[in-house]
Amino acid sequence: MTLYQSTYLFALLLVAIGIPFAFFASFEKYAVAFLRSTKASIITFGGSGLWFLYILSQLGESDFGNIKGMLMAVFGGAGILAFFYLNDFLSVRGLCVFALLISREFLDSAFMQEPTSRLVLVSLTYILVLVALYLGAVPYRLRDFFSYIYEKPIRARLFGITLCGCSLALIISSLMY
């Protein structure tokens, strides 16, 4: 993925998340329903797990030697067992794994690039990594966050506008590449 592609993809993701929060008050029921949705768990956690297993399968002999197959079996088995034994807030955990995997792509595209404007992408990506690590460890905090921002409608609107503003910052910084 090129630096332009990753910047515009990140901007698109931020806008796609920000617009419903900013302009649709009825989005609250969908956001809260996402937290414990089985379908969302299959999509986010299952998809992220498959993506992780693909990355693991592409690693060379020097990375894990002869145990790569065993690691794939252990992580694949753990992913399947998570659906049965760790299904509470699994969609949030899957979203966090997706955020970490996509962050890897964003950071790889910005690595060793010359323009200093790429630091907008890198900074926002590291913020995403911190949020994903935190919510992956304590996923019920996303429920608490939704309760907080929907307590007063202006908070959800400000959150969505902030995400759209970050998207705009990414687009503006890409014009300086």
Side-chain angles (χ1 to χ4, degrees), residues 47-68:
S48 297
L50 289 175
W51 188 5
F52 176 74
L53 289 177
Y54 171 75
I55 291 171
L56 193 60
S57 72
Q58 298 303 309
L59 294 177
E61 185 77 20
S62 63
D63 293 317
F64 289 112
N66 296 329
I67 64 168
K68 184 169 64 171

Side-chain angles (χ1 to χ4, degrees), residues 70-172:
M70 184 173 55
L71 285 175
M72 289 180 63
V74 166
F75 285 121
I80 292 170
L81 289 174
F83 283 104
F84 299 108
Y85 296 107
L86 190 66
N87 58 357
D88 201 27
F89 294 109
L90 192 60
S91 59
V92 178
R93 288 185 172 102
L95 191 62
C96 291
V97 173
F98 175 77
L100 292 172
L101 291 173
I102 198 79
S103 294
R104 175 181 182 250
E105 299 297 324
F106 294 157
L107 293 173
D108 283 348
S109 70
F111 183 67
M112 297 295 288
Q113 295 291 327
E114 185 62 35
T116 56
S117 59
R118 79 185 189 294
L119 295 178
V120 175
L121 172 69
V122 172
S123 299
L124 290 174
T125 302
Y126 278 121
I127 291 170
L128 177 65
V129 167
L130 288 174
V131 169
L133 288 173
Y134 179 72
L135 290 177
V138 283
Y140 61 88
R141 290 294 190 173
L142 189 58
R143 178 199 60 203
D144 298 344
F145 177 71
F146 287 159
S147 297
Y148 172 75
I149 66 169
Y150 282 113
E151 188 177 329
K152 295 182 181 177
I154 190 70
R155 291 179 185 161
R157 183 173 291 249
L158 285 175
F159 176 68
I161 289 171
T162 301
L163 291 179
C164 290
C166 291
S167 175
L168 183 64
L170 282 168
I171 292 170
I172 291 171

